[in-house]
Amino acid sequence: MHLRPWQWARFGLVLAVILCTVQVVPKQAHAAPYAAMVIDARTGEVLHSRNADTQLHPASLTKMMTLYIAFEAIKRGEISPDTVVTITGKAAAEPPSKLGLRKGQKIKFRYLIRAAAVKSANDAATAIGIAISGSEAAFARRMNRTAKALGMTRTHFKNAHGLTENGHLSTARDMTTLGRHLFYDHPQYYNLFSRITTDAGMKAVSNTNRRFLSSYKGADGIKTGYTRAAGFNLVASAERGSERIITTVFGGRSTATRNAKVAELMDLGFRRAPSRAPVRKPALPVYAAMDTDLDAPGGAGKTIRLITAVKVSPRPTPRPVTQDPAAQAQLAALTESIKDAVVTAIAEPEPVVVAEAAPAPAPAAPPVTETAIDAEEPLAEIVASAAPARPAMPKAQPLFTGTAAPASAAPVAVAAPVTVSAPPARPEAIVLTSLQPQAESPAEPEVVTRMSTSGGRHWAINVGVLGSRYQAERTLLKTALKEIDTLDEALRKVVRRSNGWHANFVGMTEAQADLACRRLNARNTRCKVLGPS
């Protein structure tokens, strides 16, 4: 085909327009919608939101749920950080970002967690799911069940890594909720998200969030995410003083612009959050059926009944009837002799011997209680405050004492009914020993006390000075429940001084007291270490 020069010029112009369109349109077509959420982590109060309930692609923010379930499985004893996992072909075949796992390779579970949290490795995330649930599909069902229990109402997972898949969606609100649960539900693992680099077993890996962690003051997590469909996502957390802010951004156009937006929203959150606020931790997830996959076909409402009743109740086999005439005659003679003995014993009963009234047994001793003695509280007051134990009722004395029951009264099989005369009336002289007056009650109960100061346990911590003993005891109980891991073996002790009632935990080692105080101070609970002086 021959074209004239002006036709060539027109053709070139059209081609140029087409090329420009090809270069520009995809960027606009794949620009993800923007969404954001800012909360005060202490109270869960929303400080800012934009499209927070719009379902979008979460990308690798998905791994936050994968890691939450991994921490939960370790806590429940389903798996250990040192469990050696064999990598499947499914996990090894995941596209980047990845750790580079190979099919059949063996690696400890802890390294898979580090690779998923820090490097955002897709192969490690899939390996975690398969190691816990046996398959990625079963793990996705568990992810959805956990999301429901956490209140993530507009989230649905299809995989453990977050690569784009039809129906795999979440929201800024739900991911912010998940970030808050990660911080409060599994604080012992939260430091993973702030590591710039970490050892993943095969090699050292760098954090995908290292730019924001290094540039924003107080930042310590949590997770980045990127796919073409999702854009640049980030759930970030930062702490300044007693304030902690969690910010989520979906649909960033680049790492730099996303980080800048998150920093801007973080600053907004710190400006709006009160300097002092009560810490209200989110409730732990409650599962309707922990051992049932609710998302499995037919799983919802499944009820398992165990049938424990026996199907057949056989009757005992009767004894064989002997046909020997000699044996039958011997049995009849034995029966007659037993009948005569029984009639004689009933007609002429043995004399009744009445035992002398025995002293009533002493009442049961009160239970031994372990309590910490307050050095300033008199022992007499402690004994007086103890509720006296109720005396035990004496046992009835036997009617026959000193004389054995007639031998003829032994239980025997009687072949035929026997007619006997009524026994003589009961003598009026019989006095039941149970009606005799009881002995006097013993002395006051003894309270046994001990101080847990053996083995270097001479240290204590003080958690407040209150206006009454009740307030001090209540504070001790609430503090013990809040920090049960370090205060489980300590004794609660209330000491009255001139300035009020001191609430103390005693009987601790120096290391225990220091650790407990540091953990309580981190929870905004006043605490002071007391030495053995």
Side-chain angles (χ1 to χ4, degrees):
M1 180 179 62
H2 298 285
L3 297 177
R4 297 178 180 179
W6 63 270
Q7 292 177 323
W8 280 108
R10 180 182 294 178
F11 178 77
L13 180 61
V14 172
L15 182 60
V17 171
I18 292 175
L19 290 176
C20 291
T21 303
V22 170
Q23 292 177 355
V24 173
V25 170
K27 291 185 179 180
Q28 295 177 345
H30 290 89
Y34 169 80
M37 186 83 167
V38 182
I39 68 167
D40 184 336
R42 299 166 298 177
T43 62
E45 179 185 0
V46 177
L47 304 176
H48 169 80
S49 67
R50 176 82 175 275
N51 301 327
D53 295 310
T54 302
Q55 286 187 310
L56 301 171
H57 298 286
S60 287
L61 300 186
T62 301
K63 295 185 180 73
M64 293 166 58
M65 178 59 78
T66 301
L67 293 165
Y68 185 94
I69 294 176
F71 302 151
E72 185 180 62
I74 293 173
K75 184 178 181 179
R76 295 179 58 198
E78 299 174 50
I79 198 168
S80 162
D82 292 318
T83 298
V84 177
V85 176
T86 302
I87 302 302
T88 64
K90 176 72 171 66
E94 296 292 0
S97 168
K98 60 191 302 180
L99 183 61
L101 299 171
R102 301 178 304 276
K103 181 180 179 180
Q105 178 182 349
K106 297 183 182 300
I107 187 171
K108 287 187 176 181
F109 192 67
R110 68 172 68 249
Y111 295 131
L112 297 176
I113 289 177
R114 294 178 186 178
V118 175
K119 183 176 173 55
S120 194
N122 296 326
D123 51 356
T126 300
I128 288 173
I130 294 175
I132 293 175
S133 298
S135 69
E136 189 176 40
F139 188 72
R141 291 194 293 271
R142 178 163 178 171
M143 294 171 74
N144 290 319
R145 179 187 63 182
T146 304
K148 293 177 184 177
L150 294 177
M152 301 169 62
T153 59
R154 294 183 60 78
T155 294
H156 189 78
F157 296 111
K158 289 293 191 70
N159 56 58
H161 42 66
L163 293 176
T164 303
E165 188 171 344
N166 186 31
H168 186 98
L169 300 169
S170 186
T171 68
R173 186 185 304 276
D174 284 356
M175 281 298 163
T176 306
T177 298
L178 179 55
R180 186 166 183 251
H181 273 279
L182 271 173
F183 177 78
Y184 282 110
D185 296 357
H186 302 289
Q188 66 271 41
Y189 299 110
Y190 183 76
N191 68 87
L192 280 170
F193 302 106
S194 62
R195 297 183 186 182
I196 302 299
T197 62
T198 190
D199 176 19
M202 297 171 56
K203 58 185 176 181
V205 295
S206 299
N207 200 318
T208 57
N209 195 30
R210 59 187 178 276
R211 293 183 184 178
F212 184 79
L213 292 172
S214 302
S215 62
Y216 193 82
K217 179 183 177 182
D220 56 11
I222 301 178
K223 189 73 190 69
T224 62
Y226 168 76
T227 62
R228 293 187 65 187
F232 292 82
N233 300 346
L234 174 60
V235 177
S237 178
E239 184 179 34
R240 293 181 181 176
S242 62
E243 302 172 25
R244 175 173 289 276
I245 302 298
I246 297 178
T247 298
T248 299
V249 165
F250 274 66
R253 295 182 177 274
S254 68
T255 299
T257 58
R258 176 201 64 194
N259 289 354
K261 187 62 178 179
V262 171
E264 175 188 338
L265 294 176
M266 278 285 188
D267 292 341
L268 179 147
F270 281 116
R271 287 197 305 270
R272 294 184 178 179
S275 57
R276 297 179 63 85
V279 176
R280 294 193 290 266
K281 299 180 182 179
L284 292 172
V286 177
Y287 302 105
M290 179 62 72
D291 299 321
T292 303
D293 286 328
L294 299 184
D295 291 336
K302 181 185 295 183
T303 302
I304 300 176
R305 293 184 176 89
L306 299 179
I307 307 301
T308 57
V310 296
K311 296 181 179 180
V312 180
S313 180
R315 294 181 179 273
T317 305
R319 292 182 178 180
V321 179
T322 177
Q323 302 296 332
D324 187 1
Q328 291 182 353
Q330 185 177 2
L331 180 60
L334 178 61
T335 302
E336 288 297 328
S337 63
I338 291 175
K339 287 167 54 180
D340 294 341
V342 171
V343 172
T344 303
I346 295 177
E348 301 178 3
E350 293 286 340
V352 177
V353 179
V354 180
E356 182 178 355
V368 177
T369 61
E370 294 186 0
T371 182
I373 294 295
D374 190 331
E376 300 183 12
E377 186 175 2
L379 180 61
E381 295 182 9
I382 297 178
V383 175
S385 63
R390 183 178 180 181
M393 294 298 294
K395 296 181 179 179
Q397 301 298 323
L399 185 60
F400 292 97
T401 57
T403 304
S408 60
V412 295
V414 180
V418 180
T419 303
V420 297
S421 59
R426 188 176 185 180
E428 296 181 356
I430 294 179
V431 179
L432 297 180
T433 58
S434 60
L435 301 179
Q436 296 298 319
Q438 305 300 315
E440 295 294 332
S441 300
E444 291 292 332
E446 178 183 1
V447 178
V448 179
T449 64
R450 70 173 175 86
M451 292 291 291
S452 260
T453 56
S454 61
R457 296 176 177 268
H458 303 280
W459 291 74
I461 63 173
N462 175 269
V463 293
V465 179
L466 289 306
S468 67
R469 173 181 287 276
Y470 169 77
Q471 293 175 340
E473 291 177 346
R474 183 180 179 184
T475 299
L476 286 173
L477 180 59
K478 291 174 63 177
T479 306
L481 294 175
K482 181 186 299 183
E483 190 52 48
I484 192 170
D485 291 340
T486 55
L487 298 177
D488 187 38
E489 298 181 0
L491 296 179
R492 300 192 294 272
K493 178 178 178 182
V494 177
V495 180
R496 185 177 185 181
R497 301 192 187 281
S498 59
N499 61 338
W501 300 83
H502 290 238
N504 298 335
F505 287 94
V506 302
M508 308 174 70
T509 65
E510 181 179 4
Q512 289 174 335
D514 180 65
L515 175 61
C517 242
R518 284 191 286 109
R519 290 174 66 111
L520 288 172
N521 286 330
R523 297 168 182 258
N524 294 327
T525 300
R526 178 187 175 279
C527 179
K528 179 182 177 182
V529 177
L530 305 177
S533 59

